[in-house]
Amino acid sequence: DTEVTQTPKHLVMGMTNKKSLKCEQHMGHRAMYWYKQKAKKPPELMFVYSYEKLSINESVPSRFSPECPNSSLLNLHLHALQPEDSALYLCASSQNGAPNTGELFFGEGSRLTVL
Amino acid sequence: TQLLEQSPQFLSIQEGENLTVYCNSSSVFSSLQWYRQEPGEGPVLLVTVVTGGEVKKLKRLTFQFGDARKDSSLHITAAQPGDTGLYLCLRAGKSTFGDGTTLTVKP
């Protein structure tokens, strides 16, 4: 199993809603990542979890709240988002716990629209 | 501050043409990865270059790592519509991608 699975694939939410994006991998990888990607732009790093602990937060607004319940799961909780937060949210994992010391495996992303 | 600069940012060519994409940095890095992201999918690793001066080939794709390990290039020979996508470079130890090159190959 070499997949990173993200759900949902598409999400539409209002600015007052609370929703969550989910990511799962069963490759035994020890680092997991959240990226945000706008159209025709590269993915921008948001968070990195290493051995289930938050190791990097790229100054992301608190309306985005990551959670790593166990080594296979990564969540991104969303609350009071703005329309400019509409984007593709990509989850990735890598085998080594030290961030980006090996291949990144990406999911297909969750397309978020904030109305 | 973007540590990796990619050029060109956008490239639209006809099927069969050759092209080169560049990834440059002002600092030395130990290794560099190239990814391709096709529409509707996440990025997928193409290659990792490690040694200065290294050349790696992947079918019609040729990757070079500069001698000083500050730059890298990706050359595609006889481009095909299936090569269409966003090409990204990523340096070892960092999780921040370069600017990206959006390639469109027209049939």
Side-chain angles (χ1 to χ4, degrees), chain A residues 18-80:
Chain A
K18 284 186 181 181
K19 297 285 185 183
S20 296
L21 305 181
K22 297 185 184 301
C23 176
E24 191 169 358
Q25 57 87 15
H26 295 288
M27 297 178 279
H29 288 180
R30 305 318 302 264
M32 295 187 77
Y33 309 70
W34 280 116
Y35 284 86
K36 172 184 176 181
Q37 187 176 29
K38 292 282 201 177
K40 302 231 188 282
K41 295 290 187 183
E44 295 176 15
L45 182 67
M46 299 175 73
F47 303 104
V48 182
Y49 272 82
S50 175
Y51 297 101
E52 302 166 45
K53 293 192 182 332
L54 183 64
S55 64
I56 296 176
N57 177 343
E58 291 287 332
S59 303
V60 179
S62 60
R63 58 185 184 269
F64 296 92
S65 175
E67 179 196 17
C68 189
N70 59 57
S71 60
S72 299
L73 294 174
L74 185 66
N75 298 322
L76 186 63
H77 302 299
L78 314 170
H79 178 229

Side-chain angles (χ1 to χ4, degrees), chain A residues 33 35 37 40-45 48 56 58 88 90 99-109 111, chain B residues 2 9-10 33 35 37 40-45 86 88 90-100 102:
Chain A
Y33 309 70
Y35 284 86
Q37 187 176 29
K40 302 231 188 282
K41 295 290 187 183
E44 295 176 15
L45 182 67
V48 182
I56 296 176
E58 291 287 332
L88 181 69
L90 290 161
N100 194 32
T101 54
E103 179 177 357
L104 292 176
F105 290 79
F106 282 87
E108 293 185 343
R111 174 77 58 190
Chain B
Q2 193 60 264
Q9 203 168 352
F10 298 96
Q33 297 174 334
Y35 288 79
Q37 183 178 20
E41 299 184 8
V44 174
L45 180 69
L86 177 64
L88 298 158
L90 182 66
R91 59 179 290 177
K94 301 289 183 184
S95 302
T96 303
F97 286 96
D99 306 321
T102 299

Side-chain angles (χ1 to χ4, degrees), chain B residues 32-79:
Chain B
L32 186 99
Q33 297 174 334
W34 282 95
Y35 288 79
R36 177 171 66 207
Q37 183 178 20
E38 297 183 15
E41 299 184 8
V44 174
L45 180 69
L46 295 173
V47 78
T48 301
V49 287
V50 179
T51 307
E54 182 177 7
V55 177
K56 282 191 173 178
K57 292 196 173 186
L58 186 67
K59 295 184 181 177
R60 293 175 295 100
L61 277 60
T62 302
F63 302 85
Q64 284 192 297
F65 199 16
D67 291 338
R69 305 208 317 276
K70 291 184 178 182
D71 57 274
S72 181
S73 64
L74 157 59
H75 182 79
I76 301 179
T77 303

